[in-house]
Structure formats: C-alpha cells, structure tokens
Amino acid sequence: MQGSSVGIAGAGLLGRLLAWRLSRAGHRVTVFDPARNGKPRFDGQGAAGFSAAGMLSPLAELDNAGPEVAALGWRSIALWREIAETLQARPFFAQRGSLLLAHRSDIGSAERVLARLEAGPAGSPVPRPLGAAAMAEMEPGIKGPARAWLLPGEGQIDPVGTLQALHDEAIGVLWHWEARVEHMAAGSIEVENGTTHRFDRVFDVRGVGARPDLPVRGVRGEVVWLHAPGHGLTRPARLLHARHRVYLVPRPGDLIVVGASEVESEDRSAVSLRSAVELMTAAHSVMPALAEARILRLDANLRPALPDNEPRVDVSPGLVRINGLFRHGWLLAPALVDDALVACGLQGLSIKQLEVGQ
Ligand SMILES: Cc1cc2nc3c(=O)[nH]c(=O)nc-3n(C[C@H](O)[C@H](O)[C@H](O)COP(=O)(O)OP(=O)(O)OC[C@H]3O[C@@H](n4cnc5c(N)ncnc54)[C@H](O)[C@@H]3O)c2cc1C
C-alpha cells in the first residue's frame, strides 16, 4: 500500500499524527480543516489538541475510564517517547511519574479514588504512598497537601510544540486550510464549496466536527496558563478533591498549566470566573509560591466524546473514523493510530524508520 493517496478530514491531534506518519512512510497525503492556518489558536474555536495539558496519565485516568484505556495509554507513552525523539524539533516529553495529592479534609475521597486506580491492567504500576520527607525532596515547592502518592511511569508532552512539529515535519502534505468537510464516504471527501476530492482511503478525524456522521458531543474544558519563574515543579501533580480534580502541569519556559474544568456543555466562550477562581485557588493551595505567578492565558475548548465516553476506531474499505478521545486524547492517540493503520494495512514502517529519508 506504499504510495497510496490518503485524504484526512481534521488537522487536530489525530489528523497531524496521521499526516506525519503516512507522509513519512511515502503516502500522498491531503488534509482539510476549517482553521485559517496550521498555527496554534486559543480562541476556543480550534483543535482541542492545542488546549490540552498534555498529561499522559494511564493510572490516574482509571478514575474515569476502564483498564482498556489504561492499556492503550501505556502503549502510547512508549510511542510518544519514540515520536518525540524522531521529530527534529524535539518537543518536550518527560516520563518522571506524576503525583496525587490530597488535603486532610479530602483523604476519605482520595482513598476511594486510589482503590479505583489499583484496578488497572495486570502487571501495570500502582500508586505508591510518599512520606513527608520523600515528598519534600521530590517536589519542595508543594507545601499544602497532607498526603501524597507517586504514580510511577506516568508522563507528559508539550501539546503545542508537538502539534507544530508534526505539521512542519510531515513531508509533501497538501494542507487545505479554511476547508470545512461537509461529507465523507469511502474514498471521497466533499468540502463546503461543493468540491469532491477522491483518494484511495480517507480518515475522518474531525473531533467534535464529525457530527452528524458520529454521535459525538463536546465536553467543555478550561485551563489557566501561569508564568512562574523558578517554580521548581518537575512532574504533573493532581489534587484529589471531593468535587474537583485539579492538576498542575509544568512546561518548559517557567510555565505551569492548571486544569481543567469538565462541563457538559458545548459552550466555546471564554473561561468563566468561577472556573478560573476554583482552578487557581486549588493550585495555590498546593503550591503557595504561585501567589506571585502571572496569568498568561485562560483557554477553553471542547473534548470530543461519544455517548459511552470510550474511544472508537471504525475501519471500513476506503474510510476510517477515529473519535471519542474525550479527556485522554494525548494519552490514546498514538496507539489508536497504530491500531487503525494496522487494521487497514497501511502500517509499513516503525516510528524510528520514519526518521530516514528526510
Ligand atoms: C482543556 C483540555 C485539557 C485536556 N487535557 C488533556 C490531557 O492532559 N491529556 C490528554 O490525554 N488529553 C487531554 N485533552 C483531550 C485531548 O485534547 C483531545 O482528546 C484530543 O485533542 C482529541 O483529538 P482529535 O484529533 O480527535 O480532535 P481535535 O484535536 O479537536 O482536532 C479536530 C480537528 O478537526 C477539525 N475539524 C472540525 N470540524 C471539521 C470539519 N467539518 N472538516 C474538517 N475538519 C474539521 C478541527 O478544526 C480540529 O483541527 C484535553 C482537552 C481539553 C479541551
């Protein structure tokens, strides 16, 4: 199947990963997306991939998802490591584990969550309690919480840098911007101006935009970007709370991304005062030094979710649909893309082999 023509609807996380993999494996790739261009945007209208915190949390996500999601996640972390090493831009990727934290008043609810996290796939890591001394040595900036656990093996990736690199390092891809796809069928993509483009195979990775072909809905998420020079946080930290799961994710450039609300609404408008206050209050309760951080950006976007909140890969002759990545798209994307490519006979080269022939 090498050298086949491939059409991709959607230039978000899945679309760029597919475009990069397939173009570097020698396929002729064309991508369609309603965005103005391939640059990141933070106005609530673009790909959810740009708004994500980039946590790769197969263990912590067992609080919301089943062991299949965790198993896909462990595979994806290994694939992201290879992808990040293969991309010339070397986007930030780290696998130092993450932290679960609880204030004294929330220890009961934290223990219920921990019981769920211990039910992961056979042989996968489990949360490890951390004493005060170990915690102080590991993350001296975290001062508020009474209890802490390490989630070994969890990772993180920089979504913006990775999406840019996947776009820039795809080979010979024809990117059609301002091109909303209206209809897809086996081997064909119809764009809003009425033009139909034909390919050997097409991929529908439009996220929330795949309606009505898929019963997908958007689940609003809001994040806060903080600039906090010298913050010292070296791994993602998640505060367990009876009502919220608030996480702090360090990024290069003295940044910390604090997220994320989860609201059953397709509202793409700006971040609400309530979410901003709750996220920042929780972040400050974990790292008091954040009091002097500067608020760089408030960002809101929609996570694409199917009715069962599970990811779905539908492979039929000439048409592949991948959707429902919900709150763990970064955690799942490489493994789902791999499975889809294998299922349609397109997986010819390993990630490392894609580096050759730039
Ligand atoms: C606030 C927030 C925090 C998150 N944090 C994390 C995290 O820490 N870890 C994690 O694993 N996941 C996280 N996620 C989830 C993750 O971002 C998503 O699951 C993932 O981006 C979904 O990928 P996708 O390619 O399906 O959709 P998107 O990334 O949304 O891409 C869809 C693309 O399709 C395009 N499109 C839409 N309609 C059309 C059309 N008609 N024709 C052509 N193109 C179209 C869009 O413009 C977009 O570019 C987070 C999400 C949010 C919102």
Side-chain angles (χ1 to χ4, degrees):
M1 288 304 290
Q2 222 170 322
S4 67
S5 66
V6 177
I8 300 175
L13 169 55
L14 287 168
R16 288 172 192 230
L17 199 48
L18 280 162
W20 178 75
R21 285 204 60 166
L22 290 168
S23 69
R24 296 195 77 90
H27 299 280
R28 298 184 305 285
V29 178
T30 309
V31 182
F32 304 86
D33 195 289
R36 267 189 304 279
N37 54 43
K39 300 212 170 77
R41 59 192 289 187
F42 304 99
D43 57 358
Q45 305 301 317
F50 285 118
S51 302
M55 289 202 301
L56 306 173
S57 314
L59 253 177
E61 286 299 297
L62 284 164
D63 191 20
N64 308 282
E68 310 75 28
V69 162
L72 284 165
W74 289 117
R75 278 175 57 205
S76 284
I77 290 182
L79 288 165
W80 275 130
R81 175 183 291 283
E82 281 188 50
I83 294 168
E85 284 169 1
T86 302
L87 288 166
Q88 300 255 297
R90 295 282 187 271
F92 173 71
F93 166 90
Q95 192 179 4
R96 302 185 186 119
S98 74
L99 297 172
L100 274 184
L101 308 168
H103 291 303
R104 195 165 306 284
S105 53
D106 297 317
I107 288 176
S109 78
E111 277 168 354
R112 282 191 291 281
V113 171
L114 282 163
R116 287 196 286 279
L117 307 197
E118 274 153 16
S124 61
V126 289
R128 237 175 35 217
L130 288 173
M135 197 39 217
E137 195 179 322
M138 211 176 240
E139 298 292 353
I142 294 183
K143 296 205 193 292
R147 296 276 292 273
W149 297 262
L150 177 70
L151 305 189
E154 291 207 333
Q156 66 173 115
I157 192 159
D158 169 18
V160 176
T162 306
L163 288 175
Q164 278 179 325
L166 290 171
H167 170 271
D168 296 348
E169 297 182 36
I171 296 178
V173 171
L174 207 52
W175 301 91
H176 287 279
W177 300 111
E178 299 184 318
R180 181 176 302 279
V181 171
E182 293 289 356
H183 185 66
M184 298 184 69
S188 82
I189 288 183
E190 187 188 321
V191 186
E192 62 188 334
N193 64 13
T195 318
T196 299
H197 301 256
R198 303 216 178 269
F199 304 93
D200 294 328
R201 183 174 279 96
V202 296
F203 286 84
D204 179 359
V205 284
R206 290 174 288 171
V208 177
R211 248 184 347 236
D213 295 319
L214 288 171
V216 64
R217 71 185 197 285
V219 179
R220 178 175 164 91
E222 297 152 290
V223 293
V224 182
W225 289 44
L226 299 177
H227 185 236
H231 62 72
L233 187 66
T234 62
R235 50 178 64 74
R238 189 182 299 240
L239 180 65
L240 292 176
H241 181 281
R243 285 193 306 283
H244 315 293
R245 303 281 185 268
V246 177
Y247 48 73
L248 290 81
V249 182
R251 290 222 185 128
D254 292 327
L255 298 181
I256 292 189
V257 175
V258 182
S261 61
E262 193 170 315
V263 187
E264 277 295 341
S265 156
E266 295 210 346
D267 179 358
R268 288 183 180 269
S269 66
V271 173
S272 72
L273 176 137
R274 179 195 175 126
S275 295
V277 167
E278 286 179 358
L279 291 172
M280 288 189 271
T281 305
H284 179 243
S285 76
V286 167
M287 284 187 72
L290 288 181
E292 284 306 317
R294 296 298 184 258
I295 301 165
L296 282 194
R297 173 175 293 142
L298 299 167
D299 187 21
N301 214 316
L302 302 182
R303 309 170 176 97
L306 290 167
D308 59 3
N309 289 343
E310 298 278 334
R312 186 193 296 179
V313 179
D314 289 337
V315 179
S316 59
L319 173 63
V320 179
R321 294 190 202 273
I322 315 178
N323 212 311
L325 274 62
F326 190 30
R327 44 176 290 133
H328 19 243
W330 283 89
L331 178 65
L332 303 181
L336 291 176
V337 162
D338 238 24
D339 290 348
L341 296 182
V342 168
C344 61
L346 282 178
Q347 200 204 33
L349 299 175
S350 71
I351 303 280
K352 284 288 175 204
Q353 286 170 304
L354 300 179
E355 202 169 10
V356 181
Q358 299 150 36

